[in-house]
């Protein structure tokens, strides 16, 4: 039984990890989902406006991003083009057709540090094009579409071929050395859980800035050890590193999710176990 008229959800950057997870989980009785990726250049203002005016989405989810710090540093203009202009164009187009704008953002908007950061903390960004372009994108979304939800996540993982997690498991199975940072700490969050959080926020009708990161903080090295332990694989392949250039810790506090009660983020350990189980990667009991 259909519970009401369907809404149209446009997911830009539809080939990305989070976008695919959202598309898999969305209730197709409530939403008609349309996705675009490289065939629609989000940096092309006129193309974005035309697409929105033709398809009339009720919700626009921006998963299009240039997120690799090294690539952003090497190509700063392109980073601003994708992360800033892309967000600006989608925000303006969504407002023009009366749609809610959902912007996926990252913890990079905060400066490095050991403190816990909630949604009301100021944004003294790290001095790199990736962070600055994402902050600028957030600012455009806030300014150009008052009906917005900005979701900042931490390290979002998946097990698709070519992903960090898939490469780690392959390295353990083949004995290939796998470097992991001991001093890079975050709140790893599965793409599945992030997608469920985003969908819950959309369905709730909430607005504003939300952090969507699993509870707890762990280093990349310890996270890798836990992945391999749960998968029943040896950790001999791991090569822990402590390069000062890799040092980074930002702990996102999901304060707005707590205040609104929209979605409880799980401890990262529980999320990892559930995700590996769903992927058939848990060791047999």
């Amino acid at each position: 039984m259909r519970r009401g008229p369907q809404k149209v959800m446009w997911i830009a950057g539809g080939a990305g990890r989070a976008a695919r997870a959202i598309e898999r989980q969305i209730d197709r009785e409530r939403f008609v989902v349309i996705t675009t990726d490289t065939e629609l250049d989000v940096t092309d203002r006129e193309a974005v406006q035309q697409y929105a005016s033709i398809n009339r989405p009720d919700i626009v989810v921006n998963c299009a991003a240039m997120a690799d710090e090294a690539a952003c540093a090497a190509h700063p203009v392109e980073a601003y083009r994708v992360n800033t202009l892309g967000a600006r164009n989608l925000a303006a187009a969504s407002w023009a057709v009366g749609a809610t704008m959902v912007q996926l953002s990252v913890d990079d908007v905060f400066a490095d540090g050991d403190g816990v950061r909630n949604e009301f903390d100021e944004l003294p960004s790290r001095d790199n094009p990736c962070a600055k372009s994402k902050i600028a994108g957030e600012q455009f979304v806030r300014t150009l579409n008052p009906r917005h939800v900005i979701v900042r996540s931490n390290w979002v993982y998946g097990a698709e071929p070519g992903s960090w997690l898939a490469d780690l498991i392959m390295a353990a199975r083949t004995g290939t050395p796998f470097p992991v940072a001991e001093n890079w700490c975050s709140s790893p969050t599965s793409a599945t859980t992030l997608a469920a959080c985003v969908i819950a926020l959309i369905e709730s009708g909430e607005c504003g800035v939300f952090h969507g990161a699993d509870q707890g903080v762990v280093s990349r090295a310890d996270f890798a050890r836990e992945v391999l332990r749960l998968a029943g694989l040896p950790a001999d392949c791991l090569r822990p590193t402590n390069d000062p250039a890799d040092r980074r810790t930002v702990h996102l506090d999901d304060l707005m999710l707590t205040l609104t009660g929209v979605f409880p983020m799980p401890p990262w350990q529980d999320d990892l176990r559930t995700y590996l189980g769903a992927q058939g990667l848990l060791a047999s009991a």
Side-chain angles (χ1 to χ4, degrees):
M1 178 182 294
R2 183 167 296 174
R3 289 169 287 186
Q6 288 178 303
K7 292 185 176 182
V8 176
M9 177 185 295
W10 171 20
I11 304 177
R17 178 176 298 150
R20 295 196 306 272
I22 293 169
E23 187 179 5
R24 284 193 297 268
Q25 294 185 51
I26 200 71
D27 184 349
R28 297 308 178 106
E29 290 190 352
R30 298 186 62 186
F31 296 94
V32 174
V33 179
I34 54 176
T35 64
T36 59
D37 201 71
T38 55
E39 74 277 10
L40 178 67
D41 183 0
V42 295
T43 71
D44 185 332
R45 181 173 59 87
E46 292 185 0
V48 170
Q49 289 177 337
Q50 182 178 31
Y51 189 88
S53 64
I54 290 172
N55 291 279
R56 311 297 297 184
D58 299 286
I59 299 154
V60 176
V61 183
N62 183 21
C63 298
M66 187 171 175
D68 183 85
E69 287 193 9
C72 288
H75 307 283
V77 173
E78 185 62 18
Y80 278 98
R81 196 185 309 278
V82 175
N83 295 337
T84 304
L85 284 189
R88 181 202 69 173
N89 295 343
L90 289 165
S94 60
W95 179 248
V97 297
T100 297
M101 172 76 178
V102 181
Q103 171 77 3
L104 267 61
S105 193
V106 292
D107 65 322
D108 286 333
V109 297
F110 289 108
D112 183 31
D114 297 325
V116 180
R117 308 284 184 159
N118 67 43
E119 295 89 339
F120 304 106
D121 287 326
E122 294 182 2
L123 296 178
S125 75
R126 301 172 67 204
D127 190 18
N128 65 63
C130 182
K132 290 183 175 181
S133 62
K134 293 297 286 186
I135 288 175
E138 285 192 13
Q139 291 171 339
F140 269 126
V141 170
R142 289 175 174 178
T143 301
L144 296 176
N145 190 337
R147 295 169 55 183
H148 66 260
V149 179
I150 296 171
V151 185
R152 298 180 186 138
S153 61
N154 229 177
W155 175 22
V156 180
Y157 60 85
E160 67 276 7
S163 66
W164 184 93
L165 191 61
D167 289 348
L168 168 64
I169 291 172
M170 180 59 69
R173 288 173 174 167
T174 61
T176 304
F178 193 87
V180 283
E182 291 274 16
N183 56 357
W184 187 350
C185 302
S186 60
S187 303
T189 305
S190 74
T192 301
T193 294
L194 175 61
C197 175
V198 171
I199 292 170
L201 284 166
I202 291 171
E203 293 181 339
S204 73
E206 283 286 353
C207 62
V209 180
F210 291 80
H211 289 172
D214 279 355
Q215 299 178 37
V217 174
V218 65
S219 72
R220 294 272 170 137
D222 284 341
F223 181 73
R225 294 183 184 104
E226 182 65 4
V227 169
L228 298 181
R229 185 187 73 80
L230 291 172
L233 294 171
D236 300 344
C237 67
L238 299 182
R239 299 292 184 272
T241 65
N242 281 284
D243 185 344
D246 288 335
R247 182 189 179 278
R248 173 145 172 75
T249 300
V250 172
H251 181 184
L252 294 184
D253 177 17
D254 306 319
L255 179 58
M256 277 292 287
L257 287 179
T258 300
L259 293 174
T260 59
V262 171
F263 188 85
M265 297 298 290
W268 69 263
Q269 300 94 326
D270 295 348
D271 192 10
L272 176 61
R273 177 180 288 277
T274 300
Y275 183 80
L276 293 179
Q279 299 298 314
L281 295 172
L282 276 181
S284 300

